[in-house]
Amino acid sequence: ALPSVTSLQLFEMTHSTMKARWSRVDGVSGYTVLYAPLTDDGDLNNNEINVGDGVTEVELDGLMPDTEYTVTVYAMYGEESSDPIINQETTLPLSPPRNLQFLDITHNSAHISWDPPPSGVKGYRIMWVMTDGLITKETKVGPVNSYHLSELMSLMEYSVAIFALYNEGQSEPLTDGFTT
């Protein structure tokens, strides 16, 4: 059997990337790295990266959030490949905003603010509803960190949910409530 890679680490996970590092093998012509999400039906949609013999670390990108990936590395000897080494790791979920605050609450309006997630946010989806739940209002805003809710009813309790929007989808909501 041809000598194979003996260790494979997956690290620095984000919602769309992770890094793979493996042990160097003497005498190889290069390495082939395959990565794919683990799917329920067992259907592997492999992405492939081929690197030279001096490379033992790559960044895998374009990954789906909150998804377990299988990463496989083969040591290559020309057209021949060693036995694979396999590892699995899960990408991070899309980060929600944090620290929702209600400011300047009046009988018919309220100003809300929040802390943005670390990076990659394209905007936010804000929903607010009276606790009787009959009318839900919703808006989308850009990468701001505050919004003014107006035309509210006096002496009513409202629930607010804010979702961070990314190219890959939306986060779980940050929720809280207030009374006008």
Side-chain angles (χ1 to χ4, degrees):
L2 297 167
S4 56
V5 173
T6 54
S7 78
L8 171 59
Q9 295 172 291
L10 302 177
F11 61 104
E12 286 186 21
M13 261 52 78
T14 71
H15 65 266
S16 63
T17 65
M18 70 174 70
K19 288 186 178 175
R21 180 187 299 141
W22 56 92
S23 57
R24 193 175 177 287
V25 181
D26 288 331
V28 299
S29 56
Y31 302 93
T32 295
V33 181
L34 301 176
Y35 59 101
L38 225 60
T39 56
D40 295 334
D41 56 13
D43 181 29
L44 283 180
N45 184 8
N46 271 325
N47 294 293
E48 182 175 317
I49 300 174
N50 294 295
V51 296
D53 61 344
V55 178
T56 57
E57 182 177 316
V58 294
E59 182 171 80
L60 313 175
D61 60 12
L63 309 181
M64 294 179 295
D66 202 15
T67 301
E68 188 171 10
Y69 277 82
T70 298
V71 180
T72 307
V73 178
Y74 295 88
M76 300 302 295
Y77 300 85
E79 297 297 304
E80 302 283 310
S81 67
S82 69
D83 287 338
I85 185 169
I86 300 170
N87 200 346
Q88 292 175 340
E89 195 59 73
T90 302
T91 53
L92 300 179
L94 294 170
S95 299
R98 299 175 314 281
N99 191 26
L100 179 56
Q101 295 186 18
F102 301 98
L103 313 158
D104 303 328
I105 298 171
T106 71
H107 70 283
N108 67 352
S109 69
H111 197 76
I112 59 173
S113 71
W114 58 90
D115 294 339
S119 65
V121 175
K122 302 295 176 215
Y124 300 92
R125 187 168 141 231
I126 303 167
M127 299 174 73
W128 61 101
V129 61
M130 282 191 286
T131 43
D132 65 17
L134 294 179
I135 302 172
T136 300
K137 296 201 175 177
E138 178 178 337
T139 189
K140 286 186 179 174
V141 296
V144 297
N145 65 348
S146 67
Y147 186 76
H148 191 71
L149 304 176
S150 59
E151 298 179 22
L152 305 179
M153 303 268 296
S154 182
L155 294 173
M156 280 293 177
E157 199 177 322
Y158 282 85
S159 293
V160 175
I162 303 176
F163 302 82
L165 303 177
Y166 297 84
N167 287 337
E168 301 86 353
Q170 73 180 13
S171 71
E172 290 295 305
L174 169 64
T175 59
D176 204 348
F178 68 97
T179 302
T180 51

